[in-house]
Every structure is written in C-alpha cells, then in structure tokens.
Amino acid sequence: LDLPNWLRLQARLTGVADKVRAGEYRVEAGMTPRKLLAMLVAGKVVVYSVTLIEGNTVGQLLARLHAQERLQHTVDAADASALVGTLGLDSVAWPSVEGAFLPETYQFHRGMSDADVLRAAHTALEDVLAEEWALRAPDLPYANPYQALVMASLIEKETGVASERARIAGVFVRRLRQRMLLQTDPAVIYGLGERFDGNLTREHLRTPGPYNTYLNPGLPPSPIASPGRAAIHAALHPAEGTELYFVARGDGSHEFSNTLEEHNRAVRKYQLRRGGG
C-alpha cells in the first residue's frame, strides 16, 4: 500500500481533502489508514507543555521558553523591554512587562512560537487580575489593579510557606497605610540586577534607586517577579491583625512581630545581621 497516495485518494473520495490540517502527528503502531486520515482531518496534533514558575523574573521566563526546542524562538531574551511592542501591550497600562505573565502550565504544538505562549500567559494574567480585583477586600491602599500586582510580586518573593501569604500581605498593607517604609529585601535585590552577587549589604540598602524600599516610600514602580494567583489573591485579601514586622527563621517560615522591640529580639534570635521584611 502506497500510504501517501492512498491518503490523498481517500481524502478526495470522501470529500475531506481540503480539511486535512498540517502539523505534527503521532502515528501509533497498528493504526489503520482510515484512522490516520481521521486524525489528520480532526487536527489532533502532538501537544507539548511548558510551565512558567511563580517568582521568576521575565528574563527567567524567557530563558525557560528558549529552552523549549519545539517552540519557534521569535523573542529576544536579552531585551525584555521590547516585549511591550512585540506582544502589542498597552504601554500605559504596562510600563514594564515584569509581572505581565501568569505562572501556569501552557500547551503548545510544533509551529507555535514563544510569543504565542507569552500572549496566552498575558491574557491569563489579565483575566485573573480582573477577577481577583472585582472581589477585593474593601479599603485597600491600591489606586488600581497594577499596584495590587506590584504588591503581589513582593508577597510572592517573600513567601516561603504558602499559609503565610495573607499574613505577609497584611504586614505590607498596614505599613502602607501607616506610611512606613516597606523595607523588603527582594525589591532591593531586583533593583540591583546583575550587580547583586548573592550578598545583600548595608551599602546596598543605603544606595538610592527606584526599587530601594528602605529609602523610598510606597510600592516599587513595577512588579519584581511573576506572582501566581495565590499571591494576587493575598494582595487583595490581606490578613487582619496588628503585626508590622517579620523576619525569616531560616526554614522558609517567618517570625511576625507587632513592635520594633519585638522584631529586634526576633532578629537577634535568628542571628540575622539586620532587620527588615
């Protein structure tokens, strides 16, 4: 049996010649020609998946997509800022592409590009942000959903134990309301970029920059990573309470404190050289 010729003839005879879809197909042992033709008409192409990870920067997300050999690589991973134009994003609504993509698992097939996945991830992010914003707690200190997304990115980077997300959100929200500095290390580290060598110093905390939350009041100018839905939800549903400080215990969890005196004791207890959080 000359299978290609048979398929062409059978497609014409059955009136589906113009319905055969191009793509990558997985032909299983024992599959009959008729089943193969039906698969080509149905367009049941081989599907792959890629997972974008919570807390990654846009640069890390791009690197992950570029590692997928079956995706066409059309986005320059070295120039994240160009994504605004490449993906057709509203530059007013999205002054930065950081945080613009929802960390989830996305499916693709051969012939699709990294830009296709990013568009799907951005649409998913906008949908989730709109849904969560509509159900937000009252009287939050955010002017718009973008500011909530910025807060969610801080929560994502600070959270080591999922059950603490809302509690961390509560600390940050109370500090904003009381016009206290957020003093969150991940934002400072993000602002340092390639200058950060893994050791955050007192000098770093004294160096002016838009992401230095030890010097600048309020939120940073953009997200510092890709927050997942749980972090977005926490930003919009912070836990009630009186805690204003937290410090890492070293096991992923945090010690929370109401006063600076309590916080300083916790810092000494866990042998950290400086406070913050």
Side-chain angles (χ1 to χ4, degrees):
L1 174 65
D2 185 339
L3 185 57
N5 285 335
W6 185 93
L7 286 174
R8 279 192 288 269
L9 177 61
Q10 189 68 15
R12 286 197 298 270
L13 290 174
T14 55
V16 297
D18 59 346
K19 296 180 181 179
V20 173
R21 304 183 190 182
E24 179 184 13
Y25 294 87
R26 181 174 289 113
V27 180
E28 299 176 356
M31 180 176 285
T32 66
R34 285 186 174 81
K35 285 186 177 180
L36 175 57
L37 180 59
M39 182 174 66
L40 298 178
V41 171
K44 294 181 180 179
V45 297
V46 178
V47 175
Y48 302 98
S49 65
V50 59
T51 300
L52 305 185
I53 299 173
E54 292 95 336
N56 274 189
T57 64
V58 67
Q60 291 170 319
L61 296 184
L62 290 175
R64 192 167 186 82
L65 292 177
H66 276 231
Q68 296 289 323
E69 297 179 355
R70 298 179 181 92
L71 272 176
Q72 292 181 15
H73 300 146
T74 62
V75 174
D76 182 2
D79 187 9
S81 61
L83 274 175
V84 173
T86 301
L87 300 178
L89 307 188
D90 181 343
S91 60
V92 175
W94 293 96
S96 166
V97 290
E98 197 66 76
F101 309 105
L102 187 70
E104 283 287 352
T105 297
Y106 296 93
Q107 294 187 332
F108 66 92
H109 54 79
R110 195 179 292 275
M112 289 179 64
S113 69
D114 44 14
D116 292 327
V117 175
L118 289 172
R119 288 189 188 95
H122 178 65
T123 298
L125 185 281
E126 287 193 310
D127 289 346
V128 165
L129 187 58
E131 290 168 8
E132 294 290 346
W133 179 259
L135 299 172
R136 68 190 182 280
D139 303 322
L140 293 174
Y142 314 129
N144 50 53
Y146 188 76
Q147 288 190 351
L149 186 67
V150 174
M151 175 64 85
S153 74
L154 302 181
I155 296 165
E156 188 70 74
K157 294 300 289 185
E158 287 281 16
T159 303
V161 176
S163 60
E164 291 185 350
R165 280 195 191 95
R167 205 171 174 186
I168 288 172
V171 170
F172 283 149
V173 165
R174 282 187 288 277
R175 291 179 78 98
L176 281 182
R177 285 174 174 156
Q178 296 182 33
R179 299 188 178 180
M180 296 174 67
L181 295 171
L182 290 181
Q183 295 183 319
T184 173
D185 292 354
V188 180
I189 291 168
Y190 180 82
L192 291 171
E194 294 182 355
R195 291 174 291 162
F196 181 65
D197 62 1
N199 180 35
L200 190 63
T201 66
R202 291 183 183 274
E203 185 63 29
H204 289 143
L205 302 185
R206 289 193 290 261
T207 302
Y211 292 88
N212 190 335
T213 53
Y214 283 80
L215 298 178
N216 304 324
L219 291 163
S222 79
I224 62 169
S226 302
R229 181 164 198 155
I232 294 171
H233 183 83
L236 292 166
H237 297 85
E240 296 183 1
T242 57
E243 298 156 338
L244 291 171
Y245 304 88
F246 59 84
V247 63
R249 291 191 177 112
D251 62 356
S253 69
H254 294 85
E255 181 88 5
F256 292 82
S257 303
N258 294 313
T259 68
L260 182 59
E261 182 181 4
E262 291 174 359
H263 177 59
N264 286 337
R265 282 201 300 268
V267 170
R268 289 192 293 272
K269 178 179 179 180
Y270 294 103
Q271 300 180 338
L272 295 183
R273 290 176 296 177
R274 50 182 168 72

